[in-house]
């Protein structure tokens, strides 16, 4: 029997609606090749919906997604809607309701893409940032007092739990054991006196349970510099919510374009659906022009297939991405070319 996967599509805002259809095209090609099918349910949850109805998604939105096998998201954010409204109204509730505590962001320098970093060479830079995705600096604890007065203040509490740090550390060490066997932990324990020493202690505890994996730790400021100066030295980088967010965007820029970078929000146990999304934003400055780079969404779709149990199909996609960049001059504008979103997608599918 053909396996059918139920996929929730949330195009979102801006170019999100332009990059998801190419990802669907690629997924359907791979389904026919590898003997599985995908059925899609699309949701109009977005900033446009917020402006129209006062909410990014309906009150029962999480329940509508609960029976899906995975969620594929385009982009969220639009001028006129504050980012904290759009994110806390859609992405973060999905991540936390479905215990998507791993944010996985791979970065490669592909042949055919010139990195702005002189020492970042194709085939040598292959990093995965494992970002803690459910707590850390992005907690909801805190508040503001005395608003509008000279005594106004804001308090934001970072939350690090033994369970949260342990599970993200174990995920990172297990991933490294299947790759090149090296974990780097991002910290700032010389300046953040409570949470970061706690993070360091727990990373060291979990490292002892993975003796076959080498590891070290770097302060976040030095680590950011080394991402630029010597990115090839890194394999798996495990980081808190804030540090992982910043490092993965920096790494995507090292790879040549944030338009390439994918992300997975994983519930590793499979108790809830996981969500897959390109790292790039909604890019309202180019929305509607048909020139967005679909690679981030297509690579995210590959990560989704791998998570759903189709690693060969996922490799077909990443191999095609590598081929279209190495063997053709087809490029979208962010990569220095003139191809439209559709032209780039057609060329990639031709290589598939």
């Amino acid at each position: 029997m053909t396996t059918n996967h139920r996929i929730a599509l949330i195009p979102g805002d801006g170019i999100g609606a332009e990059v998801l259809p190419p990802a669907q095209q690629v997924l359907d090609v791979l389904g026919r090749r590898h003997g599985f099918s995908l059925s899609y349910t699309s949701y109009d949850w977005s900033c446009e919906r917020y402006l129209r109805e006062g909410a990014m998604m309906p009150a029962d939105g999480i329940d509508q997604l609960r029976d899906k096998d995975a969620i594929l998201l385009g982009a969220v954010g639009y001028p006129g809607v504050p980012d904290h409204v759009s994110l806390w109204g859609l992405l973060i509730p999905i991540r936390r309701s479905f215990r998507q505590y791993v944010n996985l962001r791979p970065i490669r320098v592909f042949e055919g893409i010139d990195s702005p970093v002189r020492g970042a060479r194709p085939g040598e830079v292959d990093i995965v940032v494992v970002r803690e995705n459910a707590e850390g600096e992005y907690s909801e604890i805190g508040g503001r007092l005395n608003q509008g007065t000279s005594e106004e203040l804001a308090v934001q509490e970072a939350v690090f739990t033994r369970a949260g740090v342990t599970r993200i550390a174990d995920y990172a060490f297990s991933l490294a054991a299947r790759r090149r066997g090296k974990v780097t932990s991002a910290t700032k324990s010389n300046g953040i006196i409570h949470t970061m020493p706690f993070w360091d202690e727990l990373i060291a505890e979990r490292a002892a349970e993975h003796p076959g994996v080498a590891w070290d730790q770097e302060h976040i400021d030095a680590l950011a510099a080394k991402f630029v100066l010597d990115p090839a030295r890194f394999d798996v980088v495990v980081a808190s919510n804030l540090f992982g967010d910043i490092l993965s965007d920096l790494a995507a820029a090292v790879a040549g374009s944030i338009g390439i970078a994918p992300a997975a929000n994983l519930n590793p146990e499979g108790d809830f659906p996981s969500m897959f999304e390109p790292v790039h934003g909604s890019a309202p400055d180019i929305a509607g022009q048909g020139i967005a780079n679909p690679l981030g969404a297509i690579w995210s779709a590959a990560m989704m297939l791998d998570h759903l149990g189709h690693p060969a199909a996922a490799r077909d996609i990443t191999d095609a991405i590598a081929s279209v960049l190495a063997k053709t001059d087809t490029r979208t504008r962010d990569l220095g070319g003139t191809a439209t979103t559709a032209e780039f997608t057609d060329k990639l599918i031709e290589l598939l």
Side-chain angles (χ1 to χ4, degrees), residues 32-351:
R32 290 191 293 271
R33 175 182 297 174
H34 289 271
F36 60 85
S37 64
L38 302 108
S39 56
Y40 304 101
T41 305
S42 190
Y43 300 87
D44 70 341
W45 304 345
S46 61
C47 290
E48 182 178 350
R49 185 189 191 280
Y50 175 83
L51 293 172
R52 186 176 67 246
E53 302 187 30
M56 294 291 294
M57 64 177 173
D60 66 344
I62 297 298
D63 288 334
Q64 291 187 41
L65 299 175
R66 196 175 299 276
D67 67 342
K68 304 301 185 291
D69 296 306
I71 304 160
L72 192 58
L73 184 138
V76 175
Y78 207 74
V81 178
D83 287 342
H84 69 274
V85 170
S86 59
L87 290 175
W88 284 90
L90 184 62
L91 286 186
I92 293 178
I94 292 173
R95 289 171 176 172
R96 297 190 176 180
S97 297
F98 293 145
R99 299 181 188 174
Q100 297 168 353
Y101 60 84
V102 174
N103 187 266
L104 200 63
R105 296 189 173 187
I107 297 98
R108 288 170 55 185
V109 174
F110 287 97
E111 184 180 349
I113 297 295
D114 292 328
S115 168
V117 176
R118 184 174 58 237
R121 289 177 287 272
E124 296 182 9
V125 178
D126 183 356
I127 305 168
V128 179
V129 176
V130 177
R131 168 190 171 193
E132 199 289 316
N133 206 35
E135 52 181 43
E137 302 87 351
Y138 293 1
S139 83
E140 298 176 67
I141 299 174
R144 295 172 67 174
L145 294 175
N146 304 321
Q147 289 178 259
T149 73
S150 59
E151 291 81 28
E152 185 170 4
L153 65 88
V155 175
Q156 178 75 47
E157 298 288 354
V159 175
F160 288 74
T161 66
R162 173 172 285 273
V165 178
T166 295
R167 67 190 180 186
I168 200 68
D170 283 339
Y171 188 94
F173 280 103
S174 297
L175 177 62
R178 302 192 299 271
R179 285 173 48 90
R180 302 198 307 275
K182 173 70 181 296
V183 168
T184 299
S185 171
T187 186
K188 191 57 182 170
S189 50
N190 60 345
I192 301 176
I193 193 170
H194 297 303
T195 56
M196 284 290 101
F198 180 62
W199 170 277
D200 293 348
E201 292 164 15
L202 294 180
I203 296 293
E205 279 186 18
R206 303 319 302 163
E209 299 298 318
H210 300 269
V213 177
W215 76 284
D216 62 5
Q217 66 184 39
E218 295 275 3
H219 291 304
I220 186 65
D221 42 357
L223 182 54
K226 291 175 182 178
F227 258 40
V228 174
L229 295 173
D230 188 15
R233 67 178 286 185
F234 298 104
D235 180 17
V236 173
V237 178
V238 63
S240 68
N241 214 330
L242 176 62
F243 292 172
D245 197 0
I246 295 169
L247 281 174
S248 54
D249 280 15
L250 173 61
V254 168
S257 172
I258 200 170
I260 294 176
N265 302 275
L266 300 177
N267 171 248
E269 295 79 13
D271 297 328
F272 303 97
S274 294
M275 179 167 62
F276 303 83
E277 56 176 323
V279 170
H280 64 67
S282 57
D285 55 323
I286 63 167
Q289 300 178 41
I291 59 173
N293 188 343
L295 272 184
I298 292 170
W299 194 352
S300 298
M303 296 179 75
M304 183 180 77
L305 290 184
D306 187 64
H307 178 73
L308 292 173
H310 304 287
R315 282 193 300 273
D316 283 353
I317 296 177
T318 52
D319 287 350
I321 291 172
S323 293
V324 76
L325 295 174
K327 299 177 181 179
T328 81
D329 58 2
T330 305
R331 302 283 188 277
T332 48
R333 294 188 187 184
D334 61 307
L335 298 177
T338 60
T340 65
T341 307
E343 289 168 346
F344 190 92
T345 304
D346 288 344
K347 177 56 70 172
L348 188 140
I349 290 175
E350 177 186 321
L351 292 175

Side-chain angles (χ1 to χ4, degrees), residues 6-31:
R6 297 160 297 175
I7 308 301
L9 296 177
I10 306 177
D13 301 300
I15 63 171
E18 300 174 47
V19 298
L20 280 201
Q24 285 179 258
Q25 288 179 258
V26 171
L27 285 169
D28 291 339
V29 169
L30 270 297

